[in-house]
Amino acid sequence: MQDVRSQLQRQRDDIVARLRDFQAGAPDTGTGLEGDDAVRDLGDHVQHHTRREMGFMTRQRLVSRLQRLQAALERIERGVYGVCVECGDAIAPKRLRAIPEAETCVSCQERMERQSRAAA
Ligand SMILES: [Zn+2]
């Protein structure tokens, strides 16, 4: 559990630093998050003319990720980390390794995605 916490804190600190860059008006340095291929691909294919829009999109993504990381850290503090917030079941360890900030189990996640698609 200690590993997960430091991993989450590291990712949170990384995002906070990147958001600080945005606020300072600095361009995205393009370092990308580890394993975040979508961001890298965007950086490769989108050139300067759409840079501002890309920056905005990236910023929105970072903010929502930051909120999820923060929430996960709070769940660790409360001792409920790894428990699905929807149904209360344990989240599969494999899922937590892939998405440390996951707050729902796979079946709840899928149900919520179906609902949000139906609402859209
Ligand atoms: Zn669930």
Side-chain angles (χ1 to χ4, degrees), residues 51-88:
R51 185 158 200 114
R52 196 178 304 159
E53 285 85 337
M54 186 186 76
F56 180 74
M57 291 293 292
T58 307
R59 188 170 184 280
Q60 294 300 101
R61 281 167 49 119
L62 287 175
V63 168
S64 62
R65 182 115 201 277
L66 178 61
Q67 286 165 347
R68 287 198 301 274
L69 289 167
Q70 191 63 43
L73 282 163
E74 281 166 15
R75 288 198 300 280
I76 291 177
E77 299 299 328
R78 295 205 309 268
V80 295
Y81 177 77
V83 176
C84 174
V85 297
E86 288 290 315
C87 68

PDB file of all heavy atoms in Angstrom, residues 51-88:
ATOM      1  N   ARG A  51      -1.911  24.631 -31.205  1.00  0.00           N
ATOM      2  CA  ARG A  51      -1.243  24.412 -29.932  1.00  0.00           C
ATOM      3  C   ARG A  51      -2.096  24.887 -28.752  1.00  0.00           C
ATOM      4  O   ARG A  51      -2.128  24.242 -27.713  1.00  0.00           O
ATOM      5  CB  ARG A  51       0.094  25.150 -29.928  1.00  0.00           C
ATOM      6  CG  ARG A  51       0.858  24.855 -28.678  1.00  0.00           C
ATOM      7  CD  ARG A  51       2.337  25.102 -28.835  1.00  0.00           C
ATOM      8  NE  ARG A  51       3.007  24.351 -27.793  1.00  0.00           N
ATOM      9  CZ  ARG A  51       3.803  23.340 -28.005  1.00  0.00           C
ATOM     10  NH1 ARG A  51       4.061  22.965 -29.217  1.00  0.00           N
ATOM     11  NH2 ARG A  51       4.349  22.703 -27.015  1.00  0.00           N
ATOM     12  N   ARG A  52      -2.766  26.021 -28.927  1.00  0.00           N
ATOM     13  CA  ARG A  52      -3.516  26.560 -27.799  1.00  0.00           C
ATOM     14  C   ARG A  52      -4.665  25.619 -27.430  1.00  0.00           C
ATOM     15  O   ARG A  52      -4.904  25.343 -26.272  1.00  0.00           O
ATOM     16  CB  ARG A  52      -4.051  27.948 -28.143  1.00  0.00           C
ATOM     17  CG  ARG A  52      -4.502  28.708 -26.903  1.00  0.00           C
ATOM     18  CD  ARG A  52      -4.981  30.093 -27.260  1.00  0.00           C
ATOM     19  NE  ARG A  52      -3.984  30.868 -27.982  1.00  0.00           N
ATOM     20  CZ  ARG A  52      -4.281  31.926 -28.733  1.00  0.00           C
ATOM     21  NH1 ARG A  52      -5.517  32.316 -28.867  1.00  0.00           N
ATOM     22  NH2 ARG A  52      -3.343  32.594 -29.353  1.00  0.00           N
ATOM     23  N   GLU A  53      -5.375  25.136 -28.458  1.00  0.00           N
ATOM     24  CA  GLU A  53      -6.483  24.224 -28.187  1.00  0.00           C
ATOM     25  C   GLU A  53      -5.984  22.956 -27.517  1.00  0.00           C
ATOM     26  O   GLU A  53      -6.581  22.446 -26.582  1.00  0.00           O
ATOM     27  CB  GLU A  53      -7.209  23.863 -29.491  1.00  0.00           C
ATOM     28  CG  GLU A  53      -8.081  24.980 -30.013  1.00  0.00           C
ATOM     29  CD  GLU A  53      -7.307  25.977 -30.858  1.00  0.00           C
ATOM     30  OE1 GLU A  53      -6.069  26.073 -30.707  1.00  0.00           O
ATOM     31  OE2 GLU A  53      -7.935  26.634 -31.664  1.00  0.00           O
ATOM     32  N   MET A  54      -4.878  22.450 -28.026  1.00  0.00           N
ATOM     33  CA  MET A  54      -4.318  21.237 -27.451  1.00  0.00           C
ATOM     34  C   MET A  54      -3.941  21.485 -25.993  1.00  0.00           C
ATOM     35  O   MET A  54      -4.183  20.662 -25.129  1.00  0.00           O
ATOM     36  CB  MET A  54      -3.089  20.799 -28.239  1.00  0.00           C
ATOM     37  CG  MET A  54      -2.556  19.459 -27.778  1.00  0.00           C
ATOM     38  SD  MET A  54      -1.024  19.035 -28.596  1.00  0.00           S
ATOM     39  CE  MET A  54       0.119  20.100 -27.743  1.00  0.00           C
ATOM     40  N   GLY A  55      -3.360  22.668 -25.739  1.00  0.00           N
ATOM     41  CA  GLY A  55      -2.990  22.994 -24.378  1.00  0.00           C
ATOM     42  C   GLY A  55      -4.194  23.002 -23.462  1.00  0.00           C
ATOM     43  O   GLY A  55      -4.147  22.491 -22.352  1.00  0.00           O
ATOM     44  N   PHE A  56      -5.299  23.548 -23.969  1.00  0.00           N
ATOM     45  CA  PHE A  56      -6.519  23.590 -23.168  1.00  0.00           C
ATOM     46  C   PHE A  56      -7.024  22.180 -22.878  1.00  0.00           C
ATOM     47  O   PHE A  56      -7.336  21.844 -21.749  1.00  0.00           O
ATOM     48  CB  PHE A  56      -7.588  24.395 -23.908  1.00  0.00           C
ATOM     49  CG  PHE A  56      -8.875  24.484 -23.147  1.00  0.00           C
ATOM     50  CD1 PHE A  56      -8.986  25.305 -22.029  1.00  0.00           C
ATOM     51  CD2 PHE A  56      -9.966  23.751 -23.542  1.00  0.00           C
ATOM     52  CE1 PHE A  56     -10.162  25.380 -21.329  1.00  0.00           C
ATOM     53  CE2 PHE A  56     -11.158  23.822 -22.834  1.00  0.00           C
ATOM     54  CZ  PHE A  56     -11.254  24.634 -21.728  1.00  0.00           C
ATOM     55  N   MET A  57      -7.082  21.349 -23.918  1.00  0.00           N
ATOM     56  CA  MET A  57      -7.522  19.972 -23.738  1.00  0.00           C
ATOM     57  C   MET A  57      -6.638  19.248 -22.728  1.00  0.00           C
ATOM     58  O   MET A  57      -7.114  18.550 -21.839  1.00  0.00           O
ATOM     59  CB  MET A  57      -7.471  19.210 -25.063  1.00  0.00           C
ATOM     60  CG  MET A  57      -8.505  19.658 -26.077  1.00  0.00           C
ATOM     61  SD  MET A  57     -10.178  19.275 -25.537  1.00  0.00           S
ATOM     62  CE  MET A  57     -10.110  17.480 -25.631  1.00  0.00           C
ATOM     63  N   THR A  58      -5.338  19.408 -22.910  1.00  0.00           N
ATOM     64  CA  THR A  58      -4.404  18.734 -22.025  1.00  0.00           C
ATOM     65  C   THR A  58      -4.608  19.198 -20.591  1.00  0.00           C
ATOM     66  O   THR A  58      -4.601  18.402 -19.655  1.00  0.00           O
ATOM     67  CB  THR A  58      -2.957  19.021 -22.462  1.00  0.00           C
ATOM     68  OG1 THR A  58      -2.844  18.695 -23.840  1.00  0.00           O
ATOM     69  CG2 THR A  58      -1.978  18.188 -21.667  1.00  0.00           C
ATOM     70  N   ARG A  59      -4.842  20.490 -20.444  1.00  0.00           N
ATOM     71  CA  ARG A  59      -5.017  21.045 -19.107  1.00  0.00           C
ATOM     72  C   ARG A  59      -6.264  20.454 -18.447  1.00  0.00           C
ATOM     73  O   ARG A  59      -6.240  20.078 -17.283  1.00  0.00           O
ATOM     74  CB  ARG A  59      -5.129  22.565 -19.191  1.00  0.00           C
ATOM     75  CG  ARG A  59      -5.118  23.222 -17.845  1.00  0.00           C
ATOM     76  CD  ARG A  59      -4.986  24.724 -17.972  1.00  0.00           C
ATOM     77  NE  ARG A  59      -4.878  25.311 -16.659  1.00  0.00           N
ATOM     78  CZ  ARG A  59      -5.938  25.529 -15.875  1.00  0.00           C
ATOM     79  NH1 ARG A  59      -7.138  25.243 -16.301  1.00  0.00           N
ATOM     80  NH2 ARG A  59      -5.774  26.033 -14.669  1.00  0.00           N
ATOM     81  N   GLN A  60      -7.362  20.368 -19.219  1.00  0.00           N
ATOM     82  CA  GLN A  60      -8.585  19.783 -18.669  1.00  0.00           C
ATOM     83  C   GLN A  60      -8.340  18.347 -18.216  1.00  0.00           C
ATOM     84  O   GLN A  60      -8.809  17.915 -17.176  1.00  0.00           O
ATOM     85  CB  GLN A  60      -9.707  19.812 -19.705  1.00  0.00           C
ATOM     86  CG  GLN A  60     -10.164  21.194 -20.083  1.00  0.00           C
ATOM     87  CD  GLN A  60     -10.686  21.950 -18.872  1.00  0.00           C
ATOM     88  OE1 GLN A  60      -9.995  22.789 -18.294  1.00  0.00           O
ATOM     89  NE2 GLN A  60     -11.892  21.633 -18.445  1.00  0.00           N
ATOM     90  N   ARG A  61      -7.613  17.607 -19.059  1.00  0.00           N
ATOM     91  CA  ARG A  61      -7.308  16.218 -18.714  1.00  0.00           C
ATOM     92  C   ARG A  61      -6.483  16.142 -17.442  1.00  0.00           C
ATOM     93  O   ARG A  61      -6.693  15.289 -16.590  1.00  0.00           O
ATOM     94  CB  ARG A  61      -6.528  15.566 -19.861  1.00  0.00           C
ATOM     95  CG  ARG A  61      -7.405  15.123 -21.025  1.00  0.00           C
ATOM     96  CD  ARG A  61      -6.542  14.790 -22.206  1.00  0.00           C
ATOM     97  NE  ARG A  61      -5.434  13.907 -21.821  1.00  0.00           N
ATOM     98  CZ  ARG A  61      -5.242  12.707 -22.302  1.00  0.00           C
ATOM     99  NH1 ARG A  61      -6.051  12.226 -23.195  1.00  0.00           N
ATOM    100  NH2 ARG A  61      -4.222  11.989 -21.916  1.00  0.00           N
ATOM    101  N   LEU A  62      -5.494  17.040 -17.341  1.00  0.00           N
ATOM    102  CA  LEU A  62      -4.630  17.025 -16.164  1.00  0.00           C
ATOM    103  C   LEU A  62      -5.421  17.351 -14.907  1.00  0.00           C
ATOM    104  O   LEU A  62      -5.235  16.724 -13.866  1.00  0.00           O
ATOM    105  CB  LEU A  62      -3.483  18.042 -16.348  1.00  0.00           C
ATOM    106  CG  LEU A  62      -2.398  17.660 -17.347  1.00  0.00           C
ATOM    107  CD1 LEU A  62      -1.410  18.813 -17.509  1.00  0.00           C
ATOM    108  CD2 LEU A  62      -1.665  16.408 -16.903  1.00  0.00           C
ATOM    109  N   VAL A  63      -6.314  18.337 -15.011  1.00  0.00           N
ATOM    110  CA  VAL A  63      -7.081  18.739 -13.827  1.00  0.00           C
ATOM    111  C   VAL A  63      -7.962  17.586 -13.356  1.00  0.00           C
ATOM    112  O   VAL A  63      -8.014  17.272 -12.167  1.00  0.00           O
ATOM    113  CB  VAL A  63      -7.931  19.991 -14.130  1.00  0.00           C
ATOM    114  CG1 VAL A  63      -8.944  20.239 -13.014  1.00  0.00           C
ATOM    115  CG2 VAL A  63      -7.028  21.211 -14.286  1.00  0.00           C
ATOM    116  N   SER A  64      -8.638  16.911 -14.297  1.00  0.00           N
ATOM    117  CA  SER A  64      -9.518  15.833 -13.862  1.00  0.00           C
ATOM    118  C   SER A  64      -8.718  14.657 -13.326  1.00  0.00           C
ATOM    119  O   SER A  64      -9.117  13.984 -12.382  1.00  0.00           O
ATOM    120  CB  SER A  64     -10.462  15.400 -14.994  1.00  0.00           C
ATOM    121  OG  SER A  64      -9.722  14.915 -16.075  1.00  0.00           O
ATOM    122  N   ARG A  65      -7.536  14.417 -13.908  1.00  0.00           N
ATOM    123  CA  ARG A  65      -6.675  13.349 -13.392  1.00  0.00           C
ATOM    124  C   ARG A  65      -6.190  13.703 -11.990  1.00  0.00           C
ATOM    125  O   ARG A  65      -6.167  12.855 -11.094  1.00  0.00           O
ATOM    126  CB  ARG A  65      -5.478  13.179 -14.351  1.00  0.00           C
ATOM    127  CG  ARG A  65      -4.524  12.088 -13.969  1.00  0.00           C
ATOM    128  CD  ARG A  65      -4.503  10.972 -14.999  1.00  0.00           C
ATOM    129  NE  ARG A  65      -3.994   9.730 -14.409  1.00  0.00           N
ATOM    130  CZ  ARG A  65      -2.692   9.453 -14.280  1.00  0.00           C
ATOM    131  NH1 ARG A  65      -1.797  10.309 -14.696  1.00  0.00           N
ATOM    132  NH2 ARG A  65      -2.307   8.324 -13.737  1.00  0.00           N
ATOM    133  N   LEU A  66      -5.830  14.979 -11.811  1.00  0.00           N
ATOM    134  CA  LEU A  66      -5.362  15.434 -10.500  1.00  0.00           C
ATOM    135  C   LEU A  66      -6.436  15.205  -9.440  1.00  0.00           C
ATOM    136  O   LEU A  66      -6.153  14.743  -8.338  1.00  0.00           O
ATOM    137  CB  LEU A  66      -5.005  16.926 -10.586  1.00  0.00           C
ATOM    138  CG  LEU A  66      -4.534  17.609  -9.301  1.00  0.00           C
ATOM    139  CD1 LEU A  66      -3.262  16.956  -8.780  1.00  0.00           C
ATOM    140  CD2 LEU A  66      -4.293  19.092  -9.550  1.00  0.00           C
ATOM    141  N   GLN A  67      -7.688  15.486  -9.810  1.00  0.00           N
ATOM    142  CA  GLN A  67      -8.782  15.285  -8.851  1.00  0.00           C
ATOM    143  C   GLN A  67      -8.921  13.811  -8.495  1.00  0.00           C
ATOM    144  O   GLN A  67      -9.171  13.467  -7.341  1.00  0.00           O
ATOM    145  CB  GLN A  67     -10.088  15.829  -9.435  1.00  0.00           C
ATOM    146  CG  GLN A  67     -10.123  17.347  -9.434  1.00  0.00           C
ATOM    147  CD  GLN A  67     -11.215  17.916 -10.320  1.00  0.00           C
ATOM    148  OE1 GLN A  67     -11.803  17.209 -11.132  1.00  0.00           O
ATOM    149  NE2 GLN A  67     -11.481  19.202 -10.186  1.00  0.00           N
ATOM    150  N   ARG A  68      -8.752  12.934  -9.491  1.00  0.00           N
ATOM    151  CA  ARG A  68      -8.878  11.497  -9.216  1.00  0.00           C
ATOM    152  C   ARG A  68      -7.725  11.005  -8.340  1.00  0.00           C
ATOM    153  O   ARG A  68      -7.920  10.197  -7.435  1.00  0.00           O
ATOM    154  CB  ARG A  68      -8.913  10.706 -10.527  1.00  0.00           C
ATOM    155  CG  ARG A  68     -10.212  10.847 -11.291  1.00  0.00           C
ATOM    156  CD  ARG A  68     -10.375   9.730 -12.323  1.00  0.00           C
ATOM    157  NE  ARG A  68      -9.297   9.706 -13.298  1.00  0.00           N
ATOM    158  CZ  ARG A  68      -9.284  10.440 -14.403  1.00  0.00           C
ATOM    159  NH1 ARG A  68     -10.276  11.250 -14.675  1.00  0.00           N
ATOM    160  NH2 ARG A  68      -8.280  10.362 -15.245  1.00  0.00           N
ATOM    161  N   LEU A  69      -6.512  11.517  -8.625  1.00  0.00           N
ATOM    162  CA  LEU A  69      -5.360  11.115  -7.824  1.00  0.00           C
ATOM    163  C   LEU A  69      -5.536  11.573  -6.379  1.00  0.00           C
ATOM    164  O   LEU A  69      -5.259  10.836  -5.429  1.00  0.00           O
ATOM    165  CB  LEU A  69      -4.077  11.713  -8.415  1.00  0.00           C
ATOM    166  CG  LEU A  69      -3.606  11.119  -9.739  1.00  0.00           C
ATOM    167  CD1 LEU A  69      -2.533  11.994 -10.359  1.00  0.00           C
ATOM    168  CD2 LEU A  69      -3.085   9.705  -9.542  1.00  0.00           C
ATOM    169  N   GLN A  70      -6.008  12.805  -6.230  1.00  0.00           N
ATOM    170  CA  GLN A  70      -6.203  13.357  -4.889  1.00  0.00           C
ATOM    171  C   GLN A  70      -7.249  12.535  -4.127  1.00  0.00           C
ATOM    172  O   GLN A  70      -7.083  12.221  -2.955  1.00  0.00           O
ATOM    173  CB  GLN A  70      -6.643  14.821  -5.010  1.00  0.00           C
ATOM    174  CG  GLN A  70      -6.619  15.573  -3.701  1.00  0.00           C
ATOM    175  CD  GLN A  70      -5.225  15.666  -3.117  1.00  0.00           C
ATOM    176  OE1 GLN A  70      -4.261  15.926  -3.826  1.00  0.00           O
ATOM    177  NE2 GLN A  70      -5.092  15.421  -1.819  1.00  0.00           N
ATOM    178  N   ALA A  71      -8.326  12.187  -4.833  1.00  0.00           N
ATOM    179  CA  ALA A  71      -9.380  11.397  -4.203  1.00  0.00           C
ATOM    180  C   ALA A  71      -8.848  10.028  -3.790  1.00  0.00           C
ATOM    181  O   ALA A  71      -9.185   9.508  -2.720  1.00  0.00           O
ATOM    182  CB  ALA A  71     -10.561  11.250  -5.154  1.00  0.00           C
ATOM    183  N   ALA A  72      -7.993   9.437  -4.632  1.00  0.00           N
ATOM    184  CA  ALA A  72      -7.424   8.128  -4.313  1.00  0.00           C
ATOM    185  C   ALA A  72      -6.547   8.220  -3.060  1.00  0.00           C
ATOM    186  O   ALA A  72      -6.586   7.337  -2.198  1.00  0.00           O
ATOM    187  CB  ALA A  72      -6.621   7.600  -5.499  1.00  0.00           C
ATOM    188  N   LEU A  73      -5.765   9.295  -2.966  1.00  0.00           N
ATOM    189  CA  LEU A  73      -4.914   9.475  -1.787  1.00  0.00           C
ATOM    190  C   LEU A  73      -5.773   9.626  -0.526  1.00  0.00           C
ATOM    191  O   LEU A  73      -5.430   9.095   0.537  1.00  0.00           O
ATOM    192  CB  LEU A  73      -4.014  10.705  -1.972  1.00  0.00           C
ATOM    193  CG  LEU A  73      -2.809  10.460  -2.892  1.00  0.00           C
ATOM    194  CD1 LEU A  73      -2.209  11.772  -3.376  1.00  0.00           C
ATOM    195  CD2 LEU A  73      -1.744   9.642  -2.173  1.00  0.00           C
ATOM    196  N   GLU A  74      -6.888  10.327  -0.662  1.00  0.00           N
ATOM    197  CA  GLU A  74      -7.775  10.479   0.490  1.00  0.00           C
ATOM    198  C   GLU A  74      -8.387   9.137   0.892  1.00  0.00           C
ATOM    199  O   GLU A  74      -8.575   8.860   2.081  1.00  0.00           O
ATOM    200  CB  GLU A  74      -8.876  11.498   0.178  1.00  0.00           C
ATOM    201  CG  GLU A  74      -8.376  12.931   0.294  1.00  0.00           C
ATOM    202  CD  GLU A  74      -9.332  13.939  -0.330  1.00  0.00           C
ATOM    203  OE1 GLU A  74     -10.495  13.575  -0.596  1.00  0.00           O
ATOM    204  OE2 GLU A  74      -8.894  15.077  -0.560  1.00  0.00           O
ATOM    205  N   ARG A  75      -8.664   8.293  -0.108  1.00  0.00           N
ATOM    206  CA  ARG A  75      -9.222   6.970   0.218  1.00  0.00           C
ATOM    207  C   ARG A  75      -8.178   6.119   0.930  1.00  0.00           C
ATOM    208  O   ARG A  75      -8.519   5.325   1.813  1.00  0.00           O
ATOM    209  CB  ARG A  75      -9.743   6.281  -1.041  1.00  0.00           C
ATOM    210  CG  ARG A  75     -11.027   6.904  -1.569  1.00  0.00           C
ATOM    211  CD  ARG A  75     -11.750   5.967  -2.538  1.00  0.00           C
ATOM    212  NE  ARG A  75     -10.942   5.637  -3.706  1.00  0.00           N
ATOM    213  CZ  ARG A  75     -10.792   6.416  -4.763  1.00  0.00           C
ATOM    214  NH1 ARG A  75     -11.403   7.581  -4.818  1.00  0.00           N
ATOM    215  NH2 ARG A  75     -10.050   6.051  -5.772  1.00  0.00           N
ATOM    216  N   ILE A  76      -6.910   6.285   0.566  1.00  0.00           N
ATOM    217  CA  ILE A  76      -5.855   5.562   1.287  1.00  0.00           C
ATOM    218  C   ILE A  76      -5.839   6.012   2.744  1.00  0.00           C
ATOM    219  O   ILE A  76      -5.782   5.191   3.668  1.00  0.00           O
ATOM    220  CB  ILE A  76      -4.482   5.804   0.626  1.00  0.00           C
ATOM    221  CG1 ILE A  76      -4.427   5.113  -0.737  1.00  0.00           C
ATOM    222  CG2 ILE A  76      -3.358   5.278   1.531  1.00  0.00           C
ATOM    223  CD1 ILE A  76      -3.136   5.364  -1.501  1.00  0.00           C
ATOM    224  N   GLU A  77      -5.929   7.347   2.958  1.00  0.00           N
ATOM    225  CA  GLU A  77      -5.919   7.876   4.328  1.00  0.00           C
ATOM    226  C   GLU A  77      -7.084   7.308   5.142  1.00  0.00           C
ATOM    227  O   GLU A  77      -6.955   7.008   6.322  1.00  0.00           O
ATOM    228  CB  GLU A  77      -6.021   9.412   4.315  1.00  0.00           C
ATOM    229  CG  GLU A  77      -4.881  10.129   3.613  1.00  0.00           C
ATOM    230  CD  GLU A  77      -3.532   9.847   4.254  1.00  0.00           C
ATOM    231  OE1 GLU A  77      -3.489   9.651   5.479  1.00  0.00           O
ATOM    232  OE2 GLU A  77      -2.523   9.814   3.516  1.00  0.00           O
ATOM    233  N   ARG A  78      -8.229   7.166   4.496  1.00  0.00           N
ATOM    234  CA  ARG A  78      -9.414   6.678   5.197  1.00  0.00           C
ATOM    235  C   ARG A  78      -9.438   5.156   5.296  1.00  0.00           C
ATOM    236  O   ARG A  78     -10.333   4.585   5.911  1.00  0.00           O
ATOM    237  CB  ARG A  78     -10.693   7.152   4.484  1.00  0.00           C
ATOM    238  CG  ARG A  78     -10.883   8.657   4.519  1.00  0.00           C
ATOM    239  CD  ARG A  78     -12.365   9.030   4.375  1.00  0.00           C
ATOM    240  NE  ARG A  78     -12.986   8.367   3.226  1.00  0.00           N
ATOM    241  CZ  ARG A  78     -13.062   8.900   2.008  1.00  0.00           C
ATOM    242  NH1 ARG A  78     -12.566  10.094   1.794  1.00  0.00           N
ATOM    243  NH2 ARG A  78     -13.630   8.249   1.024  1.00  0.00           N
ATOM    244  N   GLY A  79      -8.464   4.498   4.616  1.00  0.00           N
ATOM    245  CA  GLY A  79      -8.408   3.043   4.675  1.00  0.00           C
ATOM    246  C   GLY A  79      -9.437   2.350   3.805  1.00  0.00           C
ATOM    247  O   GLY A  79      -9.764   1.188   4.024  1.00  0.00           O
ATOM    248  N   VAL A  80      -9.958   3.063   2.799  1.00  0.00           N
ATOM    249  CA  VAL A  80     -10.953   2.447   1.917  1.00  0.00           C
ATOM    250  C   VAL A  80     -10.443   2.369   0.481  1.00  0.00           C
ATOM    251  O   VAL A  80     -11.216   2.161  -0.447  1.00  0.00           O
ATOM    252  CB  VAL A  80     -12.302   3.216   1.950  1.00  0.00           C
ATOM    253  CG1 VAL A  80     -12.935   3.110   3.334  1.00  0.00           C
ATOM    254  CG2 VAL A  80     -12.121   4.675   1.563  1.00  0.00           C
ATOM    255  N   TYR A  81      -9.127   2.525   0.327  1.00  0.00           N
ATOM    256  CA  TYR A  81      -8.571   2.454  -1.018  1.00  0.00           C
ATOM    257  C   TYR A  81      -8.746   1.047  -1.579  1.00  0.00           C
ATOM    258  O   TYR A  81      -8.560   0.060  -0.866  1.00  0.00           O
ATOM    259  CB  TYR A  81      -7.085   2.818  -0.988  1.00  0.00           C
ATOM    260  CG  TYR A  81      -6.427   2.701  -2.346  1.00  0.00           C
ATOM    261  CD1 TYR A  81      -6.623   3.690  -3.302  1.00  0.00           C
ATOM    262  CD2 TYR A  81      -5.646   1.600  -2.667  1.00  0.00           C
ATOM    263  CE1 TYR A  81      -6.035   3.583  -4.556  1.00  0.00           C
ATOM    264  CE2 TYR A  81      -5.056   1.485  -3.913  1.00  0.00           C
ATOM    265  CZ  TYR A  81      -5.258   2.478  -4.845  1.00  0.00           C
ATOM    266  OH  TYR A  81      -4.689   2.371  -6.085  1.00  0.00           O
ATOM    267  N   GLY A  82      -9.069   0.975  -2.877  1.00  0.00           N
ATOM    268  CA  GLY A  82      -9.222  -0.331  -3.519  1.00  0.00           C
ATOM    269  C   GLY A  82     -10.616  -0.894  -3.376  1.00  0.00           C
ATOM    270  O   GLY A  82     -10.873  -2.021  -3.789  1.00  0.00           O
ATOM    271  N   VAL A  83     -11.511  -0.103  -2.760  1.00  0.00           N
ATOM    272  CA  VAL A  83     -12.897  -0.530  -2.624  1.00  0.00           C
ATOM    273  C   VAL A  83     -13.735   0.302  -3.592  1.00  0.00           C
ATOM    274  O   VAL A  83     -13.607   1.522  -3.650  1.00  0.00           O
ATOM    275  CB  VAL A  83     -13.399  -0.329  -1.171  1.00  0.00           C
ATOM    276  CG1 VAL A  83     -14.871  -0.678  -1.057  1.00  0.00           C
ATOM    277  CG2 VAL A  83     -12.558  -1.148  -0.219  1.00  0.00           C
ATOM    278  N   CYS A  84     -14.583  -0.367  -4.353  1.00  0.00           N
ATOM    279  CA  CYS A  84     -15.413   0.317  -5.334  1.00  0.00           C
ATOM    280  C   CYS A  84     -16.352   1.298  -4.631  1.00  0.00           C
ATOM    281  O   CYS A  84     -17.053   0.921  -3.700  1.00  0.00           O
ATOM    282  CB  CYS A  84     -16.198  -0.711  -6.135  1.00  0.00           C
ATOM    283  SG  CYS A  84     -17.387   0.024  -7.271  1.00  0.00           S
ATOM    284  N   VAL A  85     -16.354   2.552  -5.096  1.00  0.00           N
ATOM    285  CA  VAL A  85     -17.215   3.556  -4.451  1.00  0.00           C
ATOM    286  C   VAL A  85     -18.682   3.339  -4.802  1.00  0.00           C
ATOM    287  O   VAL A  85     -19.573   3.876  -4.144  1.00  0.00           O
ATOM    288  CB  VAL A  85     -16.804   5.004  -4.837  1.00  0.00           C
ATOM    289  CG1 VAL A  85     -15.403   5.321  -4.354  1.00  0.00           C
ATOM    290  CG2 VAL A  85     -16.918   5.225  -6.338  1.00  0.00           C
ATOM    291  N   GLU A  86     -18.946   2.551  -5.825  1.00  0.00           N
ATOM    292  CA  GLU A  86     -20.337   2.324  -6.239  1.00  0.00           C
ATOM    293  C   GLU A  86     -20.965   1.148  -5.502  1.00  0.00           C
ATOM    294  O   GLU A  86     -22.043   1.257  -4.951  1.00  0.00           O
ATOM    295  CB  GLU A  86     -20.394   2.064  -7.753  1.00  0.00           C
ATOM    296  CG  GLU A  86     -20.137   3.307  -8.598  1.00  0.00           C
ATOM    297  CD  GLU A  86     -21.299   4.303  -8.499  1.00  0.00           C
ATOM    298  OE1 GLU A  86     -22.459   3.871  -8.578  1.00  0.00           O
ATOM    299  OE2 GLU A  86     -21.026   5.500  -8.341  1.00  0.00           O
ATOM    300  N   CYS A  87     -20.290   0.004  -5.528  1.00  0.00           N
ATOM    301  CA  CYS A  87     -20.924  -1.197  -4.994  1.00  0.00           C
ATOM    302  C   CYS A  87     -20.236  -1.717  -3.733  1.00  0.00           C
ATOM    303  O   CYS A  87     -20.748  -2.609  -3.072  1.00  0.00           O
ATOM    304  CB  CYS A  87     -20.956  -2.294  -6.066  1.00  0.00           C
ATOM    305  SG  CYS A  87     -19.333  -2.942  -6.483  1.00  0.00           S
ATOM    306  N   GLY A  88     -19.048  -1.172  -3.383  1.00  0.00           N
ATOM    307  CA  GLY A  88     -18.388  -1.577  -2.157  1.00  0.00           C
ATOM    308  C   GLY A  88     -17.559  -2.847  -2.268  1.00  0.00           C
ATOM    309  O   GLY A  88     -16.950  -3.278  -1.293  1.00  0.00           O
TER     310      GLY A  88
END
